[in-house]
Amino acid sequence: MIAVIAGSSVSLIAAPAKPQVSLCQAQIYSLHMNAGTTINRFNADSVPHRLRAVDGSWETPVIAPGEQINQPFTTAGLSAFLCDFDPAMRGTIVVQSTHAVFVPLVANITAERRSNPATWGGRLPQAGDAVTIPAGKVVLLDVSPPPLQSLLIEGELHFDRQNLNLTVGWIMLHGRGRLQIGTPTEPFTQQATITLTAANLDEDVTGMDMGTRGILLMGGTFEAYGQTPDRIWTRLADHAATGSTTLTLAEPVNWQTGDQIVIAPTDFYGVAGTERLTVQAANETQVVLTTPLQKERWGRLQYVSPTGMTLTPTTEVTPLVLDERAEVGVLSRRIVIQGADDERWRNDRFGGHIMVMGNGVLRLNGVELRRMGQGGRLGRYPIHFHLLSYAADGSLIGDATQQLVENSSIWNSANRCITIHGTNGTTIRNNICYDIAGHAIFLEDAVERRNLIENNLVLKVRQPPVPLLNHDREGFRRGPSGFWITNPDNIVRGNVAADAAGNGFWLAFPERPLGSNKLVPIRPVNTRLGVFSHNVAHSNGKPGINLDFPPIDDAGNTREVKYIPTSDDGPDRYNDNRVRFTFSDITTYKNNDNGLWNRTSCPDYVRFVSADNTEMFFAGAGDNGKIRDSLIVGVSLNNRTPTPIHDQPNAAVASYHSTFAIFDNVIVNFPLSPRLDRASGAFATNDYYLIPVDRGLIRNPNNILINTHPGRRVVSPNINTPVGNAVIAGALWDPHSYWGPKNNYWVYDIPFLTVGKTCVPVSGEDHTKSCNGPYFGVSGFRVDGSPPYEPKMPLTISRLDASNQIIDQWIVEDGRGGSRNTFGIVAHMRHFAAVPNGRYRIEFRDAVTALPLPTQEVKLNLSNMHTTDDKLILAVPFSGSRTVQAYLTTRESYQQLGAPIRHLTKVNSFASLLNTDNSFWQDNASNQVWVNVSGGMTLPGGEPTNPLSDKALYRETYLRIFAP
């Protein structure tokens, strides 16, 4: 459609397959078309014209009077143009994708004024009327009509350039219907208000489950372009104390007297909340309020000096800056769409909504929506893009790239903010969502892809009285979140999520699609990431960013699922198709849980700034990850309020079982806590339970620690009182000298681990030592066909001296019942660290329970034995009634063809065993088999090329003792 505006009259021009545009002096054009359309430009003027795009993407030749040219448009997009010879001639061209939208008009049509009775056949519509604008009819709304029952638009309705109010039960657009307020090049500068009033809660005006009290697009186009403030939201430039009536902003604004604004909290969730205030006056960066602030706000940037945090700008330590300044945004707009403030709203939470279906097109820029959403009702959201990209059989229709919500505000919503449902390619940019019930920006069925979600500010998100889905309920790392993103293939960039009862950003990628789109053939859990960068999450009730717990059914139940993107977006085949992904330039602070919780493979977390969170700043479950070039601050200068959990120490980074490389970071203000059962300091050690000797800290070089202890060695449950039925690693390699001399091992200060070693104290700890290495690991126990990866038998390991007298014992209780361990870790974590040339007796018993003697086989894993000089003597229980054999292999499945095998030599005495490398002696009288083993076994596939790989670090060897 081409809107030509001249003087006080309005004429509308468009065309069929090849629209003809008549060029006339001083006219303004607005054209919408599908990609592939060719425009015929006819110069009906007495002077020549030459049109060109403002961005330089196209230019016509000079079109002489009476001449015409054809101009094709093949690429979707929007361009503004002007005429080189007539400065008053200008316009915009919106080229849609192949997604069907209407290109109306076949000839010049003059709009008819709403105020003229002739427009309506001689009788103006009256209060309570159901009004229809039929196809082919174009109406200019030049007066505010009385309240209407309904408005069906099959033709067109354009708002005149004056203050107007349209009060109506509901508005429906069909076919080629159009509702237009302003244009992209000439936004609406007056005040336009649409109030939706339908009161029947059960009404469905279309019979297509679109409900009522809404602007309902079964087809057609609703475009509203309001004059927007120069800046939608910014941040403070200085602190604002409790009781302040003046805000100093980081950037100048042109906000108006009477405008409604919001200011985010800068403290923990529940300590302070978002406040809505009114502007009394605004002058550049100074905003005067009509009422004072209820809670103080932080407003200064923080930098890192060699001695800690400072307000003095410096890049001496790192170029990264901690920005905890409060966001401030303006809600007021020239165009307002609102639900009625009536009993239905106040008692039933029954607000207005906009729903786009079929071939409908919604483009909002500079619009304020308030009292929107219908509480407890599926599909009744302030803005709802509904099933625009997929057919019922799951096939792709196309991306809906013409859908746009920009520079707008949605606030006081009873049901979400913006819902993208079965729709790809929308643009959601530079909006404010405030005071929202349920997840705010919501991707519904996990098939929504290629959407641009950028620079949005989401504040105050709460659990609705009647949650639509179970993940809208507050729970463990769950609850109403600022952003609910169920498909990774989107651009999510530059957004802020604050003051949400749940997560700031909940990235919940399920294994398969949900709801109406179950047949779409994609796997979100394996889909490659689009973009996730420059986002901020603060002052939320749960983690700032949660990459875990996706939905598993349509009721909204969730569970742990690991996000593993693959090169073909298909099922994970481990090294064959896994790909890396990046989260970059993320800020998380003052969250009542983790800064980032994740369950994933191959992530790169780059240039994070994380501060003042209540739980561990980086935590979760993952592998092959990187955390680098980041700033992690335990307690910043914004520290007037203590953390909500006062007795809980904190750590910067979880160990991730050393599967993450954590390097080139700056870690500030993580002191040691006296609690021995909680991680504290830079590196957490409370989850080193997978293996007995961990060497993965080699992956953590070049971290700068300021006012920070490298980490508390939490006490393993098996050396607590009472002993536990799981165990934490006995020895951690310290190649970067965080805890002691370089290449020492950080161990518990017990004779089992320290006798015969050269050890030094560890600063701040009296239960650990830094000792010279190496240490070997013994784990993976299997007895007579027991489960290979979940050993739960009791263990009593006795370290023996040269006379086979007990030096100390390492006991792990029976794991087949109960849960007696400090951290609640899984009971099959049972292993021990051993010293070179050490002598150990293994018994499958504890003080209460003893396993029968093995009669078939015993298997166990040995690690960190790299050379033939690495030796260990073990006594393994085995029934003396069976004759055994023994060997070492470096393939876990010893039956694999070509597995390297070292058969142990059978000897006839303990003395011979001591003098014979790689030998075994069966002590039938004592029902045990002694082995003397050494390392240096050949690895399958040859020596590893990556010295930091697990294969290179641990060189795992498997010992099997069996009765043939």
Side-chain angles (χ1 to χ4, degrees), residues 91 109 250 301 605 613 616 632 674 707 750 827 856 872 885 902:
I109 301 176
L301 295 172
Y605 300 134
N613 298 296
M616 203 173 298
I632 312 170
N707 303 327
I750 55 176
Q856 300 173 41
L872 194 59
Q885 296 179 14
R902 178 191 293 166

Side-chain angles (χ1 to χ4, degrees), residues 39 196 234 250 276 335 409 458 546 612 758:
I39 299 175
L196 302 164
T234 182
R276 179 165 59 92
I335 301 172
S409 67
V458 177
N546 186 349
D612 297 318
T758 302

Side-chain angles (χ1 to χ4, degrees), residues 14 72 88 105 184 209 298 308 352 394 448 529 545 635 675 737 803 823 832 912:
L105 310 178
D209 193 25
W298 185 266
E448 297 80 16
L529 183 75
I545 299 169
V635 180
R675 288 185 59 174
S737 66
S803 301
F823 311 108
F832 68 95
S912 296

Side-chain angles (χ1 to χ4, degrees), residues 842-857:
I842 300 171
E843 298 174 89
F844 299 126
R845 67 168 182 84
D846 57 22
V848 176
T849 304
L851 259 62
L853 287 170
T855 60
Q856 300 173 41
E857 71 171 354

